[in-house]
Amino acid sequence: MTISLKLRAWIREARSLTVLTGAGISAESGIPTFRGKEGLWKTLRPEELANVEAFLKNPELVWEWYRFRREIVAKAVPNPGHAALAQLEACASDFTLVTQNVDGLHRRAGSRHVIELHGNILDDVCLHCGKKSTEASGGAGPVPRCACGGPLRPGVVWFGEALPAGAFEKAAEASARAELFLSVGTSAVVYPAASLPLVAREAGAYVVEINPERTELSSAVDETLIGKAGEILPALLAERRAAIPTA
Ligand code: OAD
């Protein structure tokens, strides 16, 4: 993989960096993506599993699906792509990581400031009182219950739901002030997250996409680096580190 001279200059010099990640960054940790070649939505129907109507209709089925995914997440470990982003954060004074992922792998890799736009799969939220608890999958029965008696649901954002309060606003602000914006491992079709690279470009950032395939975003960015996040991000980190003066 070659890094263009332009990108080399941006990665070395950008004072403000914002990164948007999607399911593709966790693919190399063994967590399946939703779209793309082997995406989950090829064989499963999001309308039966990922919205509140589906949950009200068949909470057992929805819990079965989330427990299955929690098991995959629990066994997964961060990969070199996650690690490179955590280390990149340490080399930049203004760095924001925005993720659509619910797997918590960025924090486990050491990223400190992470905006989780779609929540976290290990959280539970009571459908009645709204109280949040952490992984009550221990909770007995096919549908775990809150202390108030209400059914618990996974603490993720489903289709048609609002994002966590303030999360998108913070992400949009960071995108608008970024000098360099990286869109990593996302098919860039789910809004409002998919608008962030466009917000950044509109405000003058150099926008780079990292993905093994071209996406709907490709024609709107400055560069698409075709390849895996776990290979490209460590190379960008090395470039950034090479620009840090040694004492
Ligand atoms: P998608 O599954 O839509 O897209 C994943 C992207 O990652 C695809 O474009 C793949 O080509 C790419 N990819 C695969 N392997 C990769 C690798 N090793 N390195 C880099 N990229 C790779 O995932 P998202 O865009 O995150 O929403 O999906 C957005 C939202 O749709 C998700 O947050 C979820 C889903 O329905 C909710 O759960 C609300």
Side-chain angles (χ1 to χ4, degrees):
M1 190 233 357
T2 47
I3 303 175
S4 72
L5 286 177
K6 245 184 170 176
L7 176 54
R8 196 165 290 208
W10 279 111
I11 192 79
R12 283 173 167 244
E13 287 159 27
R15 282 163 302 178
S16 175
L17 266 107
T18 297
V19 182
L20 170 68
T21 64
I25 194 166
S26 296
E28 291 160 76
S29 294
I31 301 179
T33 61
F34 298 96
R35 302 173 191 82
K37 269 185 208 142
E38 288 160 22
L40 290 165
W41 295 152
K42 282 232 155 87
T43 48
L44 297 166
R45 292 158 58 84
E47 57 272 31
E48 286 173 6
L49 299 167
N51 65 67
V52 79
E53 290 77 24
F55 182 75
L56 293 173
K57 198 165 145 200
N58 196 346
E60 290 84 3
L61 176 72
V62 172
W63 265 113
E64 194 182 327
W65 156 244
Y66 277 91
R67 284 186 169 129
F68 163 74
R69 286 179 57 206
R70 279 181 174 179
E71 274 174 32
I72 297 177
V73 167
K75 284 188 202 133
V77 289
N79 66 55
H82 297 106
L85 289 180
Q87 289 158 32
L88 204 52
E89 180 174 8
C91 320
S93 54
D94 182 12
F95 182 94
T96 306
L97 178 53
V98 184
T99 189
Q100 298 166 86
N101 297 345
V102 295
D103 56 33
L105 287 184
H106 285 305
R107 287 185 205 279
R108 281 169 59 193
S111 284
R112 292 190 306 134
H113 302 293
V114 188
I115 301 175
E116 288 175 324
L117 289 180
H118 294 165
N120 191 306
I121 197 168
L122 300 180
D123 290 338
D124 291 336
V125 179
C126 175
L127 204 63
H128 288 176
C129 72
K131 197 170 161 209
K132 204 163 154 181
S133 47
T134 43
E135 202 179 5
S137 39
V143 181
R145 299 255 154 204
C146 173
C148 80
L152 290 171
R153 56 160 285 180
V156 299
V157 175
W158 282 329
F159 289 103
E161 292 186 317
L163 303 189
F168 183 74
E169 291 71 12
K170 274 193 208 144
E173 264 168 39
S175 303
R177 69 168 189 273
E179 290 179 347
L180 176 63
F181 184 101
L182 306 178
S183 175
V184 184
T186 174
S187 57
V189 292
V190 173
Y191 282 79
S195 68
L196 294 172
L198 309 176
V199 168
R201 189 127 195 269
E202 182 74 23
Y206 194 72
V207 179
V208 177
E209 176 183 42
I210 298 172
N211 199 305
E213 298 169 22
R214 285 182 68 79
T215 70
E216 305 221 349
L217 183 68
S218 304
S219 58
V221 297
D222 292 290
E223 282 190 42
T224 294
L225 298 180
I226 295 287
K228 294 181 174 179
E231 291 166 9
I232 294 175
L233 290 171
L236 296 184
L237 171 69
E239 200 60 50
R240 177 82 178 190
R241 282 184 165 158
I244 298 173
T246 45

